[in-house]
Amino acid sequence: MNVEEMKKAVAKEALNLIEDEMVIGLGTGSTTAYFIRYLGKLIMEGELEEVYGVPTSYQARLLALEAGVPVVSLDEVDAIDIAVDGADEVDPQMNLIKGRGAALTMEKIIEYRAGMFVVLVDETKLVEWLGQKMPVPIEVIPVAWRAIAEEIEVFNATAELRMAEKKDGPVVTDNGNFILDAKFHRIEDPLDLEIELNNIPGVVENGIFADIADLVLVGTKDGVKRMER
Ligand SMILES: O=C[C@H](O)[C@H](O)[C@H](O)COP(=O)(O)O
């Protein structure tokens, strides 16, 4: 089973958690894209009714509209039953790094609010400790990026402004902000660092998602494995 097949397998497994009349937080990225497409197919075939998606990004919104998933915004719903999203790293305690796709702020808002947060990853995302492979994306107020990057050096980390590939200049998030990618040597206490980073003036949100995932579905060569809190 290759990585794409692992992503499809966990996306299909997540569908077993979806019921009629659910409000679903729709994550961002390539793994959740499979979930959104499969969800839309079930809705279009009448297998699921009265299901609504709350997108975490423009990417999720466009995918949902294309797939036939009815879309509502966060301020239109009283509650979110379940949120389904990918991750860039998962440690043994189910702490996450997210934000490679610059969607971390709305993702955390929606996933924090959801009754259940389900993470979909392939086995390459598993790490022994957070920060082992990926930097921590940090969404910042644009004009403050340099001041914050200097602040982050205090944490014995280096922060780089994320530059766009198909646009001149920096990546601009769905919320109109910049992203710093902060490389830490080893994150010993994810929850503590998540709180400390958000205390830096000008930081909007950071990509450490500590103690928030309820279930992680891991696509492996031997099938889908589950990590549960
Ligand atoms: O900002 C992007 C999100 O945090 C994604 O959920 C994360 O980067 C995982 O994306 P993918 O499933 O494409 O690896």
Side-chain angles (χ1 to χ4, degrees), residues 14-195:
L15 291 172
N16 295 326
L17 300 167
I18 307 302
E19 298 169 1
D20 292 349
E21 300 181 9
M22 274 193 167
V23 175
I24 307 164
L26 300 177
T28 298
S30 60
T31 310
T32 318
Y34 287 117
F35 170 77
I36 293 172
R37 289 192 192 101
Y38 297 158
L39 177 66
K41 189 167 185 299
L42 289 182
I43 293 169
M44 300 302 277
E45 291 171 352
E47 297 290 317
L48 277 172
E49 294 177 350
E50 295 299 310
V51 164
Y52 295 90
V54 182
T56 56
S57 65
Y58 288 129
Q59 184 232 13
R61 177 181 171 78
L62 295 177
L63 265 173
L65 292 172
E66 183 187 314
V69 178
V71 168
V72 289
S73 64
L74 178 61
D75 58 359
E76 291 180 292
V77 298
D78 298 328
I80 297 175
D81 297 293
I82 186 171
V84 179
D85 201 352
D88 302 310
E89 284 190 352
V90 182
D91 77 3
Q93 291 72 43
M94 298 167 59
N95 299 305
L96 316 173
I97 286 181
K98 286 175 58 50
R100 173 208 47 79
L104 60 131
T105 295
M106 278 313 296
E107 289 178 331
K108 196 178 283 187
I109 292 168
I110 287 169
E111 286 145 21
Y112 183 82
R113 184 147 174 76
M116 181 182 188
F117 175 29
V118 180
V119 180
L120 309 181
V121 294
D122 61 82
E123 61 186 11
T124 66
K125 306 295 185 67
L126 301 182
V127 294
E128 292 167 61
W129 65 85
L130 285 196
Q132 190 173 359
K133 296 181 184 175
M134 298 293 283
V136 175
I138 304 173
E139 182 160 350
V140 301
I141 299 296
V143 75
W145 75 267
R146 194 166 151 213
I148 295 167
E150 288 172 13
E151 279 295 313
I152 286 170
E153 287 174 13
V154 170
F155 294 90
N156 194 20
T158 53
E160 274 185 33
L161 182 61
R162 187 183 295 184
M163 303 308 281
E165 287 175 10
K166 294 188 176 175
K167 155 193 183 290
D168 291 339
V171 163
V172 178
T173 71
D174 291 354
N175 313 307
N177 298 313
F178 286 176
I179 294 283
L180 290 176
D181 285 307
K183 188 71 189 111
F184 294 85
H185 298 297
R186 179 172 181 146
I187 300 173
E188 299 290 352
D189 185 336
L191 182 58
D192 182 61
L193 183 58
E194 178 180 4
I195 294 166

